[in-house]
Every structure is written in C-alpha cells, then in structure tokens.
Amino acid sequence: MSTRKETPEQERERLYREEQKNNPSGNFNDNLNRTQSGMPNTTGMSTKEIGVLILVVLVIFIVYSILKSSRTPLGEL
C-alpha cells in the first residue's frame, strides 16, 4: 500500500490501472464478461445513488407513457 491515504475504492482503481498497463491483453476476458453481464456498472455507487437512478428512470417512463397516451390520432381532429 502506498504512503498516502487512499480509500479502498481508490486503491482498487489504482491497482486495476497498474494491471492494465502491465498486462493489457489479459484484461480482455474481464472486460468481455463485464459487458456481457447486461447490468450497468454500479460498483462505485452507493445504495442511495442507485435508488435515485432507478427513481429517475421510472419518472421518465411514467411521463413518457402519459404523454404518449394523451395524444389524439390525426384522423380524429
């Protein structure tokens, strides 16, 4: 560990970057598995931040649904 104070997240990121520099082709499988998981990368997000993200997506979906259902077809004007 380095002499300066690092959070565990910063240390993981630093070690990950060093590994990428030392072995760029070895990380191909890790990156491939990460992209095929179908889930967004939320490792750095707290539970509160993930909840806010889900809430924003739900609000956008509800507003879109309301606006789409309130439109009248052109033939009925």
Side-chain angles (χ1 to χ4, degrees):
M1 193 152 160
S2 63
T3 57
R4 60 192 156 130
K5 295 287 184 179
E6 287 183 328
T7 64
E9 183 178 332
Q10 290 171 334
E11 184 180 4
R12 276 193 301 269
E13 185 66 26
R14 181 180 53 81
L15 291 172
Y16 176 73
R17 297 291 175 210
E18 288 175 5
E19 180 65 25
Q20 279 187 325
K21 286 180 188 176
N22 296 335
N23 191 7
S25 63
N27 291 319
F28 178 73
N29 190 30
D30 292 340
N31 292 332
L32 184 63
N33 289 337
R34 190 177 294 176
T35 59
Q36 288 181 350
S37 69
M39 295 293 294
N41 185 9
T42 57
T43 54
M45 296 176 73
S46 69
T47 306
K48 188 176 182 180
E49 291 170 338
I50 294 172
V52 169
L53 179 65
I54 292 171
L55 185 64
V56 167
V57 169
L58 286 174
V59 168
I60 290 171
F61 177 73
I62 291 170
V63 168
Y64 173 76
S65 298
I66 291 171
L67 291 176
K68 186 173 173 135
S69 66
S70 67
R71 292 185 184 168
T72 58
L74 292 176
E76 294 181 11
L77 290 177

